[in-house]
Amino acid sequence: MTIRTYKGRRGRLTDRQLVALQDPALLRPEGSQLDLGELFTGRPITLEIGFGSGRRTADIAQAEPDRAFLVADVFTTGVADLMIAIRERNLNNIAVVHGDALVLLQERVPTAALHAVRTWFPDPWPKARHHKRRLINAANVALLADRCLPGAVWELATDDADYAQQMRQVIEQSPWWSGGRAERAARALTHYEERALQAGRTVTDLRYRRLAVT
Ligand SMILES: C[S@@+](CC[C@H](N)C(=O)[O-])C[C@H]1O[C@@H](n2cnc3c(N)ncnc32)[C@H](O)[C@@H]1O
């Protein structure tokens, strides 16, 4: 049985959101391998896993037109809102996947295709019995290492101290990544982070570089 890293949540959608979800540019996570070079006309690719509301994702893509962003979430409202923002701003450097980023990585992203990965505030799953649902585990660390180019940068952030420790343990025990705790990356405040800070929680940033080992 597949263990899901996300909770099913779906609010009521507006007509506009429902139309946005029919956009032919929206990608499914399952299917044949993507030709990312063609899709993004050779621009270096950042994968964002779990963009949530997507509020910052469109801003970042707009601010960095020379980079490309492959972004995935299962959260239907966030996916719809991001598609609306992309169309409104006419962005051509962002591709949205509606579904599980792990399936996307397994089925559609070729080896050594990614220049950067962002997992900002993956669901913390704080209860011990739910830890198995956490996104960062040995298998997913290995999967990401395979899909990243040597030199690729992986940024992570969390407001859960126990998860931060687990992330460090599992990534730093693997042979592919070098790095550790980092200064807060020059990233926009995400929706989730804003709420975590308001609640008085402390955020940990981690940063790793993909080593040139197979
Ligand atoms: C805690 S929220 C953080 C969202 C956003 N990064 C932020 O900081 O506001 C985590 C997000 O990750 C998404 N997520 C969890 N597992 C995922 C997976 N395997 N593939 C895609 N998205 C996933 C959830 O749907 C949720 O929107």
Side-chain angles (χ1 to χ4, degrees):
M1 196 186 74
T2 310
I3 296 170
R4 296 217 166 81
T5 62
Y6 49 86
K7 312 169 191 127
R9 59 190 171 121
R10 185 179 170 148
R12 187 186 288 275
L13 296 169
T14 64
D15 287 349
R16 192 158 182 235
Q17 287 169 328
L18 287 168
V19 170
L21 292 169
Q22 300 304 317
D23 193 315
L26 194 54
L27 297 171
R28 297 293 315 159
E30 44 310 281
S32 54
Q33 279 204 350
L34 293 164
D35 185 341
L36 293 172
E38 188 184 291
L39 186 65
F40 291 125
T41 56
R43 286 172 284 190
I45 300 163
T46 296
L47 171 71
E48 182 178 2
I49 300 178
F51 54 79
S53 73
R55 200 167 82 180
R56 296 296 176 216
T57 303
D59 294 344
I60 293 170
Q62 188 166 11
E64 297 186 66
D66 295 336
R67 303 187 68 86
F69 298 87
L70 179 64
V71 305
D73 207 302
V74 293
F75 178 41
T76 306
T77 309
V79 169
D81 289 345
L82 183 53
M83 289 310 288
I84 291 170
I86 289 169
R87 290 298 178 200
E88 274 175 359
R89 303 185 202 186
N90 210 10
L91 302 178
N92 68 5
N93 62 334
I94 175 164
V96 182
V97 180
H98 187 189
D100 191 330
L102 295 172
V103 175
L104 172 80
L105 280 161
Q106 272 149 4
E107 296 195 16
R108 309 207 71 184
V109 177
T111 291
L114 304 173
H115 296 72
V117 179
R118 289 170 179 167
T119 40
W120 290 336
F121 305 97
D123 291 303
W125 295 111
K127 292 183 184 149
R129 70 171 194 279
H130 288 149
H131 284 185
K132 58 181 181 291
R133 286 175 168 260
R134 287 178 167 174
L135 183 79
I136 309 304
N137 61 32
N140 295 338
V141 166
L143 176 64
L144 276 170
D146 181 77
R147 303 306 193 261
C148 281
L149 283 153
V153 171
W154 183 11
E155 289 175 3
L156 305 97
T158 181
D159 64 333
D160 183 303
D162 176 74
Y163 198 8
Q165 205 178 354
Q166 182 193 326
M167 287 174 175
R168 289 197 64 175
Q169 227 164 38
V170 70
I171 300 171
E172 290 168 32
Q173 273 170 11
S174 84
W176 304 286
W177 301 96
S178 163
R181 265 192 101 120
E183 291 299 312
R184 188 182 187 285
R187 56 181 166 73
L189 199 64
T190 69
H191 181 61
Y192 182 90
E193 183 176 17
E194 208 170 282
R195 285 189 313 173
L197 294 176
Q198 274 165 11
R201 293 196 290 273
T202 305
V203 168
T204 303
D205 275 85
L206 303 173
R207 193 169 195 273
Y208 296 90
R209 191 171 286 281
R210 171 71 161 95
L211 299 169
V213 290
T214 48

